[in-house]
Amino acid sequence: TKAEDAAQQSYLQRQKCVETYTTGMLALGVGGKKKLPEAVQRRRQSQVVRNLIEAGEEDLDNIMNLSAVKASEAAFENHVMATTVLSLSMGMSLGLNRKHLLRLGLCAMHADVGESQLPEELMEKPEQFSPSERKEMETHAVKGFTHLLDKHGFNANSLERALVSLEHHLNFDLKGGYPEVRRGEVHLFSRIVAICDTYNALLSDRPHRPAFPPDQAVKIIARGAGTRFDPMLCKVFLSSIGNYPPGSLVELSSGEVAVVFGAGRGDRP
């Protein structure tokens, strides 16, 4: 029947998305027995972003749902993939073409690369950071900027990725965040990644707090509109992810508890 054919097609699309997510984790170095050559790794990362774009064009919900995937044994890489997925979803909602989506996806994928330049003991510390440790942690934005330029040169793509790495922790109004910047305008991709990076970070456990439920994380993002985040982009994000984002626990009218696995778009479950 048509319903069965549609269900089968939807299942195959979801399976393709999961395969792309797994490939992305491998491209970021998870599960590999040895480090891939830089050129091979970069090609794989580009292909992962292209596959995510293709999947999102078929059904945006399929890649949105991947943002709820959690792999505790690879928390950093999981965060990178979720931020990339959410950033691409926003880009598609904004109507960006494939060329710009590829650039956005790769910028999101490299936004936190500076964390790899920090001491391992700092990144793996199980307790809350001291003020000096927090200050050192915040240097990852500048370290990512210099690392990407040192590694890939001063071409247009490298400069754009380095800029997003530098800017994505800046406040939209430039009155907070890091590093300190007093004037100018934050790049569109940086403003998109800022929302998606923060949202996914809120969903993750931290030494000083447990993970926020998705619906609470959405409210925190909404409260930051106009100060921490671009208000127009906040509207796009909140509209695309809905009031009941993937991973939310909801109580049905029957009294049963369910987990949301599709973007709610604001509809009640």
Side-chain angles (χ1 to χ4, degrees), residues 79 111-112 115 134 137-138 140-141 164-172 176-179 186 190 193-194 197-198 201 228:
H79 174 71
D112 280 326
E115 291 188 13
R134 179 66 192 174
M137 175 64 180
E138 291 178 354
H140 82 269
V164 173
S165 177
L166 180 71
E167 292 183 336
H168 75 287
H169 287 293
L170 284 172
N171 282 12
F172 170 71
Y178 57 90
V186 181
S190 302
V193 173
D197 175 79
T198 302
R228 174 68 181 93

Side-chain angles (χ1 to χ4, degrees), residues 119-146:
E120 189 173 328
E121 58 271 19
L122 177 67
M123 298 306 300
E124 295 182 357
K125 184 181 178 181
E127 300 88 18
Q128 185 173 358
F129 291 145
S130 67
S132 62
E133 289 170 333
R134 179 66 192 174
K135 190 171 183 179
E136 183 177 8
M137 175 64 180
E138 291 178 354
T139 65
H140 82 269
V142 173
K143 289 181 182 295
F145 177 81
T146 57

Side-chain angles (χ1 to χ4, degrees), residues 5-165:
D5 290 343
Q8 177 66 10
Q9 181 64 25
S10 178
Y11 171 77
L12 292 174
Q13 288 176 348
R14 289 197 299 270
Q15 287 297 104
K16 183 178 179 181
C17 285
V18 171
E19 290 173 5
T20 298
Y21 187 94
T22 303
T23 303
M25 295 289 278
L26 292 171
L28 292 168
V30 178
K33 294 183 178 179
K34 60 180 180 179
K35 186 174 175 61
L36 295 171
E38 178 66 25
V40 174
Q41 193 172 34
R42 289 169 65 183
R43 284 197 300 271
R44 288 193 178 184
Q45 290 170 354
S46 294
Q47 189 58 53
V48 165
V49 175
R50 290 190 182 94
N51 290 347
L52 287 171
I53 294 169
E54 182 180 326
E57 289 173 342
E58 292 177 356
D59 187 343
L60 187 56
D61 281 355
N62 282 335
I63 66 167
M64 285 287 289
N65 296 344
L66 292 176
S67 66
V69 174
K70 298 295 177 187
S72 59
E73 71 281 3
F76 174 75
E77 292 80 3
N78 191 92
H79 174 71
V80 169
M81 282 298 297
T83 300
T84 301
V85 163
L86 290 168
S87 297
L88 287 173
S89 298
M90 280 189 66
M92 291 178 190
S93 296
L94 288 167
L96 299 184
N97 62 34
R98 279 193 172 195
K99 180 180 178 181
H100 290 104
L101 287 171
L102 176 61
R103 287 164 47 197
L104 170 60
L106 289 171
C107 283
M109 192 172 277
H110 290 87
D112 280 326
V113 70
E115 291 188 13
S116 65
Q117 309 302 303
L118 295 173
E120 189 173 328
E121 58 271 19
L122 177 67
M123 298 306 300
E124 295 182 357
K125 184 181 178 181
E127 300 88 18
Q128 185 173 358
F129 291 145
S130 67
S132 62
E133 289 170 333
R134 179 66 192 174
K135 190 171 183 179
E136 183 177 8
M137 175 64 180
E138 291 178 354
T139 65
H140 82 269
V142 173
K143 289 181 182 295
F145 177 81
T146 57
H147 171 77
L148 288 168
L149 293 182
D150 288 345
K151 199 167 187 179
H152 304 304
F154 286 78
N155 59 74
N157 289 334
S158 176
L159 281 168
E160 189 169 59
R161 293 170 200 172
L163 186 62
V164 173
S165 177

Side-chain angles (χ1 to χ4, degrees), residues 224-241:
T227 53
R228 174 68 181 93
F229 307 116
D230 182 322
M232 185 274 288
L233 292 179
C234 267
K235 288 182 180 179
V236 173
F237 177 79
L238 297 172
S239 176
S240 65
I241 203 163

